[in-house]
């Protein structure tokens, strides 16, 4: 059985290397945005798959950019990766994209690394940063720049909060970890690779991470659709979940 600390160190190293590759591709590319995004997805995916298969040949991998081997459903250990989270942001040469390398064991996100290549920072479940003091200001709620969920408006009104649009899921989740936001709320469509690694890092740091109805996040499902997620400071979990429930019941 692999040591989870070694798994976490591997995830961080691989995510960091993929982030460096993405920076290099962007710096050298003169291609149109769509081609830049495709190159980033494909080349980062190839690198991550090669590194994980070499280091953990007995494990399964679920990647956004690779064919899904359904044999993974019977496995205890499955790496869940998004080689370029925020492809559109990357293609537009914006900074809020990320690399996700997560590991689920028995459906639980136990290991994660999220690299933010534009800043060169990697967040790891092995050594998550200490959370900054909780701000006394109204909560900042990070949401999708392109697909803001209607529930977010209701939550912001209930909590007196401010909506802050950002790019990739990993970038938004790490904004909570860094103290640049208090709540990350998404509804309306994600997959396991969008939030497995961010959730693992968030949980390791002491943040709340769940579905928006408060149910646990469960990974390595036959259908990898995982349409909603709440990652927030623990102090804001109960009021946020209450506001979401009020919105759901009308």
């Amino acid at each position: 059985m692999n040591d989870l600390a070694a798994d976490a160190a591997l995830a961080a190293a691989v995510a960091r290397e993929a982030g460096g590759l993405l920076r290099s591709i962007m710096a050298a590319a003169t291609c149109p945005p769509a081609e830049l995004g495709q190159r980033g997805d494909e080349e980062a995916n190839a690198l991550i798959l090669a590194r994980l298969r070499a280091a953990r040949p007995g494990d399964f991998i679920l990647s956004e950019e690779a064919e899904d081997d359904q044999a993974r459903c019977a496995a205890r250990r499955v790496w869940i990766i998004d080689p370029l989270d925020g492809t559109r942001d990357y293609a537009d040469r914006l900074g809020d994209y990320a690399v996700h390398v997560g590991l689920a064991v028995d459906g639980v996100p136990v290991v994660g690394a999220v690299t933010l290549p534009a800043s060169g920072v990697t967040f790891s479940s092995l050594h998550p940063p200490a959370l900054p003091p909780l701000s006394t200001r109204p909560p900042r709620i990070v949401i999708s720049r392109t697909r803001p969920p209607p529930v977010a408006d209701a939550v912001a009104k209930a909590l007196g909060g401010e909506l802050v649009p950002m790019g990739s899921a990993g970038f938004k989740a790490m904004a909570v970890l860094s103290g640049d936001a208090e709540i990350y709320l998404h509804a309306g469509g994600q997959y396991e690779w969008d939030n497995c690694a961010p959730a693992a890092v968030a949980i390791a740091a002491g943040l709340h991470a769940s579905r928006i109805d408060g149910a646990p996040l469960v990974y390595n499902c036959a259908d990898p659709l995982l349409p909603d997620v709440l990652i927030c400071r623990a102090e804001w979990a109960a009021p946020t979940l209450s506001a979401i429930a009020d919105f759901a019941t009308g």
Side-chain angles (χ1 to χ4, degrees), residues 33-34 36-41 64-65 82-93 96-98 168:
L36 174 60
Q38 182 176 2
R39 282 191 58 195
D41 276 329
E64 180 180 15
E65 302 300 329
D82 191 341
L84 173 50
D85 184 61
T87 302
R88 179 183 302 180
D89 308 291
Y90 180 78
D92 290 339
R93 296 179 180 272
D96 45 357
Y97 64 97
S168 84

Side-chain angles (χ1 to χ4, degrees), residues 11-243:
V14 171
R16 192 176 296 114
E17 185 179 0
L21 174 63
L22 288 169
R23 284 198 308 272
S24 297
I25 293 170
M26 181 187 288
T30 58
C31 55
E35 183 179 339
L36 174 60
Q38 182 176 2
R39 282 191 58 195
D41 276 329
E42 292 177 352
E43 295 186 31
N45 185 63
L47 184 153
I48 295 171
L49 292 184
R51 298 294 184 268
L52 292 180
R53 285 170 177 163
R56 299 290 186 271
D59 291 348
F60 281 84
I61 303 172
L62 172 63
S63 169
E64 180 180 15
E65 302 300 329
E67 185 176 351
D68 183 4
D69 181 354
Q70 286 283 302
R72 66 176 170 77
C73 296
R76 295 191 62 223
R77 291 170 49 93
V78 179
W79 294 87
I80 301 177
I81 68 170
D82 191 341
L84 173 50
D85 184 61
T87 302
R88 179 183 302 180
D89 308 291
Y90 180 78
D92 290 339
R93 296 179 180 272
L94 301 176
D96 45 357
Y97 64 97
V99 177
H100 299 174
V101 179
L103 173 67
V105 178
D106 296 328
V108 178
V110 295
V111 163
V114 177
T115 288
L116 309 182
S119 61
V121 176
T122 297
F123 296 86
S124 169
S125 58
L126 181 60
H127 298 297
L131 296 176
L134 184 66
S135 172
T136 58
R137 60 177 291 169
R140 293 159 291 179
I141 306 167
V142 286
I143 57 171
S144 171
R145 181 188 290 123
T146 57
R147 294 174 294 152
V151 65
D153 286 314
V155 170
K157 289 177 182 176
L159 303 182
E162 172 193 0
L163 296 179
V164 182
M166 288 185 185
S168 84
F171 199 93
K172 290 191 282 287
M174 296 307 102
V176 179
L177 199 65
S178 301
D180 295 322
E182 286 68 50
I183 300 166
Y184 166 38
L185 174 61
H186 183 83
Q190 280 192 357
Y191 291 86
E192 293 185 9
W193 45 75
D194 290 307
N195 52 55
C196 179
V201 177
I203 292 168
L207 296 176
H208 169 91
S210 72
R211 301 288 299 274
I212 63 171
D213 63 357
L217 293 164
V218 179
Y219 295 91
N220 193 31
C221 299
D223 181 355
L225 180 67
L226 205 168
D228 56 75
V229 65
L230 171 65
I231 293 176
C232 65
R233 293 290 296 240
E235 299 90 339
W236 282 107
T240 302
L241 290 168
S242 178

